[in-house]
């Protein structure tokens, strides 16, 4: 049981750290792409057209088929610029003061965090598309200051629960096997003790 608890702690830590690294790498990649495309086309196209091209490209830049993994973009005023799972009617709407079920002003904190030198991570509760349920999520956000954009991507932490459940089932099976072995051994020892007792009694009587 203690070994299982240590495994769970290690799994959670390793999973969270690896996901954070993946999020940061992906957003860094997107930022570099935007800057490269802008510099290559700023003398050829209008800024608005470049933005349209970039948003279209980002929408296609899916490194995973997982519907829970998507890039989101807000401007510094909290207006939604891009979100793969959002309805088209929601683009342009302001979400600056939106709060999660725990009262955290998610978008405002993402924007503030993204303005730091290296961006940063924000943990909050958000709707998970796959199950249409609110669950804990951690996102990495970094700003593209030329356009006043906050660009981010998140991962839902309940994914680790699946790994933990698999480990728990594995360890429960081990514990069941250990219990069966101990029970069998105990029964054998009891029977052996009875056998010895009876024989000892006969010897004593004789």
């Amino acid at each position: 049981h203690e070994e299982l608890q240590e495994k769970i702690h290690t799994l959670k830590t390793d999973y969270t750290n690896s996901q954070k690294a993946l999020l940061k790498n992906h957003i860094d990649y997107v930022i570099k792409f935007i800057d490269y495309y802008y510099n290559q086309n700023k003398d050829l196209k209008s800024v608005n057209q470049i933005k349209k091209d970039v948003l279209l490209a980002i929408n296609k830049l899916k490194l995973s088929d997982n519907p829970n993994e998507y890039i989101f973009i807000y401007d510094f005023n909290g207006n939604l610029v891009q979100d793969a799972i959002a309805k088209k009617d929601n683009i342009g709407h302001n979400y600056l003061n939106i709060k999660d079920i725990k009262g955290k002003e998610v978008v405002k904190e993402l924007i503030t965090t993204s303005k730091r030198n290296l961006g940063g991570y924000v943990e909050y509760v958000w709707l998970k598309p796959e199950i249409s349920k609110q669950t804990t999520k951690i996102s990495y956000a970094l700003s593209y200051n030329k356009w006043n954009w906050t660009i981010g991507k998140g991962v839902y932490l309940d994914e680790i629960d699946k790994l933990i459940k698999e480990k728990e089932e594995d360890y429960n099976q081990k514990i069941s096997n250990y219990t069966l072995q101990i029970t069998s051994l105990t029964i054998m020892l009891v029977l052996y003790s009875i056998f010895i007792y009876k024989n000892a009694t006969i010897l004593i009587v004789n």
Side-chain angles (χ1 to χ4, degrees):
H1 176 73
E2 291 175 352
E3 186 179 338
L4 173 60
Q5 300 311 308
E6 290 177 5
K7 282 283 185 182
I8 289 174
H9 176 74
T10 302
L11 270 174
K12 286 183 176 180
T13 302
D14 290 349
Y15 177 82
T16 303
N17 290 339
S18 65
Q19 291 301 310
K20 280 183 174 182
L22 288 172
L23 292 174
K24 186 177 185 305
N25 288 339
H26 195 176
I27 295 304
D28 287 344
Y29 167 74
V30 170
I31 295 285
K32 288 177 181 177
F33 162 74
I34 293 174
D35 205 45
Y36 172 80
Y37 190 84
Y38 170 73
N39 290 325
Q40 289 293 109
N41 293 277
K42 61 183 179 182
D43 297 326
L44 304 172
K45 300 179 181 181
S46 67
V47 175
N48 285 336
Q49 185 58 51
I50 293 174
K51 287 181 178 180
K52 288 180 181 179
D53 293 345
V54 164
L55 292 175
L56 183 61
I58 289 175
N59 197 38
K60 300 294 183 181
L61 285 172
K62 291 183 178 179
L63 300 183
S64 170
D65 294 328
N66 190 336
N68 303 312
E69 296 182 13
Y70 54 90
I71 299 290
F72 58 81
I73 303 174
Y74 294 90
D75 66 23
F76 287 173
N77 294 319
N79 299 308
L80 182 63
V81 177
Q82 169 87 341
D83 188 330
I85 66 166
K87 296 179 180 178
K88 290 184 178 179
D89 294 342
N90 292 338
I91 302 299
H93 282 201
N94 190 278
Y95 293 91
L96 187 65
N97 297 316
I98 193 171
K99 298 179 181 179
D100 68 4
I101 58 176
K102 293 184 177 180
K104 178 177 285 189
E105 294 179 310
V106 177
V107 176
K108 186 179 290 185
E109 190 164 333
L110 285 167
I111 293 171
T112 301
T113 302
S114 75
K115 293 178 181 179
R116 296 173 187 167
N117 188 32
L118 297 175
Y121 300 92
V122 178
E123 186 174 317
Y124 52 97
V125 180
W126 206 250
L127 180 68
K128 187 175 183 180
E130 186 180 31
I131 58 176
S132 298
K133 183 180 177 182
Q134 299 280 342
T135 186
T136 304
K137 183 178 185 180
I138 187 167
S139 292
Y140 174 78
L142 183 63
S143 63
Y144 185 63
N145 295 318
K146 289 179 182 176
W147 295 348
N148 291 336
W149 278 5
T150 288
I151 304 172
K153 183 181 180 183
V155 63
Y156 292 91
L157 297 182
D158 68 334
E159 295 291 332
I160 187 62
D161 294 339
K162 297 177 183 177
L163 297 175
I164 290 174
K165 188 175 181 181
E166 291 176 3
K167 283 294 179 184
E168 285 180 335
E169 289 175 355
D170 183 42
Y171 272 78
N172 285 336
Q173 186 60 47
K174 285 183 179 180
I175 291 171
S176 295
N177 291 338
Y178 291 151
T179 303
L180 181 60
Q181 291 172 17
I182 292 169
T183 303
S184 300
L185 181 59
T186 302
I187 292 172
M188 290 176 62
L189 289 172
V190 169
L191 292 175
Y192 183 68
S193 298
I194 292 172
F195 174 77
I196 294 296
Y197 171 76
K198 284 186 175 181
N199 281 276
T201 301
I202 291 170
L203 289 172
I204 292 170
V205 168
N206 290 337

